[in-house]
């Protein structure tokens, strides 16, 4: 296990961790993190990395801009230190972040790249694959995609109006005077992305939701969720099936349901890791 830094086109360096086998693995799973999706809050990443390594597969814990509240980093374009995090993330940077890890994988010579994402990271993978029919990515793996409508449902009408008003008066880079959703301290512009930008609001519980990004994905893959996931408005299995139903590749995709666990797979970390290893081995056998 070693720390890596990947460079985005805008110059920001992202911190990742490579779980590397002792041999020269030709297959790599990249897992894009969600908001506050770090090793402390999502320890299942250790299980996935160690389990895949035992099967001769490399794994990258691909930390993006919002894995922590704040992250000290550098910008190799400006030459300056920067602080990124959930406090100032912009959803429009998601494409750049995902591409940075794929570029790294290509530079390292991996022949088989699987692109995964957990929670908001899954939404970022959907966004990326809707815009890039990248032949270097063989399959996707969506781990508990985030239902943004449900996550932001507790934001009051007054709070939404405050965000709109502050954006309109040029205060985009000011700190929001209250924690968004009750737990995210962030800039006004970041809050505006969460509430009013549809860029990552790409999966829904309703069959009539805007699935335009999902409908543009041409890759095959798998979708996984815990049956107690509390970010799905009460029906995790139906939520996942609804997403897959809108995919052009629906009949070829695999659905994995982890029984009696939630959004971060409490008590089921190893089961998740084992199922992912089996999934990748199944894909390799088909080649």
């Amino acid at each position: 296990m070693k720390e890596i830094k990947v460079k985005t086109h805008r110059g920001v360096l992202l911190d990742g961790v490579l779980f590397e086998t002792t041999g020269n693995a030709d297959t790599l799973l990249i897992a894009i993190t969600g908001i506050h999706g770090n090793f402390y809050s999502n320890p299942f990443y250790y299980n996935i990395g160690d389990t895949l390594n035992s099967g001769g597969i490399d794994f990258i814990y691909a930390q993006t801009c919002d894995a922590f509240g704040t992250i000290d980093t550098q910008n190799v374009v400006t030459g300056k230190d920067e602080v990124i995090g959930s406090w100032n993330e912009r959803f429009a940077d998601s494409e750049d972040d995902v591409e940075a890890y794929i570029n790294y994988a290509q530079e390292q010579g991996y022949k088989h790249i699987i692109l995964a994402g957990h929670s908001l990271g899954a939404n970022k993978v959907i966004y990326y694959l809707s815009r890039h029919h990248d032949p270097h990515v063989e399959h996707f793996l969506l781990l508990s995609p985030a239902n943004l409508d449900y996550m932001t449902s507790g934001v009051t009408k007054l709070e939404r109006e405050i965000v709109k008003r502050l954006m309109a008066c040029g205060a985009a880079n000011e700190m929001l005077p209250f924690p968004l959703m009750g737990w995210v301290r962030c800039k006004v512009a970041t809050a505006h992305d969460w509430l009013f930008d549809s860029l990552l609001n790409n999966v829904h519980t309703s069959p009539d939701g805007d699935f335009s990004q999902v409908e543009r994905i041409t890759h095959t893959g798998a979708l996984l969720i815990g049956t107690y996931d509390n970010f799905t408005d009460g029906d995790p299995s139906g939520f996942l099936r609804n997403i897959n139903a809108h995919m052009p590749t629906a009949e070829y995709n695999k659905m994995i349901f982890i029984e009696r666990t939630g959004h971060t797979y409490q008590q089921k970390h190893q089961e998740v890791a084992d199922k992912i290893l089996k999934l990748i081995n199944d894909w390799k056998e088909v080649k």
Side-chain angles (χ1 to χ4, degrees):
M1 188 171 69
K2 68 178 182 182
E3 295 181 2
I4 61 173
K5 289 188 179 293
V6 301
K7 184 180 71 172
T8 62
H9 290 299
R10 64 190 186 281
V12 174
L13 294 178
L14 301 176
D15 297 320
V17 176
L18 172 63
F19 289 72
E20 194 172 22
T21 59
T22 53
N24 293 318
D26 64 357
T27 302
L28 173 72
L29 175 69
I30 302 170
I32 305 297
T33 60
I35 183 169
H36 297 178
N38 51 66
F39 279 130
Y40 301 100
S41 60
N42 294 172
F44 60 81
Y45 285 120
Y46 287 108
N47 296 73
I48 294 173
D50 292 340
T51 300
L52 292 186
N53 280 179
S54 72
I57 298 164
D58 284 359
F59 172 68
I60 290 180
Y61 155 82
Q63 187 169 280
T64 49
C65 287
D66 61 356
F68 289 90
T70 59
I71 304 168
D72 294 324
T73 187
Q74 303 86 37
N75 187 304
V76 295
V77 172
T78 65
K80 297 179 180 179
D81 292 337
E82 287 191 16
V83 180
I84 60 175
S86 60
W87 75 286
N88 69 350
E89 180 183 31
R90 298 308 306 271
F91 285 2
D93 292 332
S94 299
E95 182 177 8
D96 193 12
D97 293 350
V98 174
E99 189 171 40
Y101 282 102
I102 294 174
N103 288 342
Y104 174 86
Q106 291 179 245
E107 290 166 3
Q108 299 305 306
Y110 290 101
K111 296 180 180 178
H112 309 292
I113 301 171
I114 299 160
L115 180 60
H118 174 253
S119 192
L120 192 65
N123 301 56
K124 293 177 180 180
V125 167
I126 290 170
Y127 175 60
Y128 179 84
L129 293 179
S130 75
R131 294 170 57 83
H132 298 271
H133 306 288
D134 191 340
H136 298 102
V137 175
E138 293 193 350
H139 298 286
F140 65 78
L141 173 57
L142 305 180
L143 302 161
S144 305
N147 181 354
L148 267 62
D149 290 334
Y150 183 74
M151 290 180 68
T152 60
S153 61
V155 181
T156 67
K157 182 178 179 180
L158 175 59
E159 289 171 335
R160 292 171 187 268
E161 288 301 320
I162 291 172
V163 173
K164 281 185 178 180
R165 194 179 312 129
L166 289 172
M167 281 292 289
C169 71
N173 290 320
E174 300 295 326
M175 291 298 293
L176 194 67
F178 55 87
L180 183 69
M181 300 180 286
W183 55 282
V184 182
R185 297 282 180 183
C186 63
K187 285 186 173 183
V188 171
T190 299
H192 195 271
D193 282 358
W194 273 93
L195 297 174
F196 304 112
D197 189 338
S198 62
L199 192 142
L200 295 183
N201 192 12
N202 48 26
V203 292
H204 312 276
T205 54
S206 170
D208 299 326
D210 181 0
F211 284 93
S212 56
Q213 291 183 26
V214 172
E215 290 164 354
R216 292 197 294 270
I217 294 176
T218 56
H219 287 77
T220 58
L223 303 87
L224 180 151
I225 201 166
T227 59
Y228 290 170
D229 193 308
N230 59 357
F231 287 159
T232 61
D233 203 15
D235 185 7
S237 299
F239 174 64
L240 210 66
R241 294 183 194 281
N242 190 32
I243 296 170
N244 188 56
H246 286 83
M247 289 188 170
T249 57
E251 64 179 300
Y252 304 105
N253 299 333
K254 296 181 180 294
M255 309 284 286
I256 302 172
F257 301 101
I258 309 298
E259 299 293 333
R260 299 182 297 279
T261 191
H263 194 67
T264 57
Y265 318 123
Q266 302 90 329
Q267 310 300 318
K268 297 296 183 78
H269 295 169
Q270 190 56 48
E271 180 180 341
V272 170
D274 290 340
K275 287 186 180 297
I276 292 174
L277 175 59
K278 182 180 185 306
L279 175 71
I280 295 175
N281 282 334
D282 288 346
W283 280 334
K284 290 170 72 174
E285 287 179 6
V286 172
K287 297 186 189 308

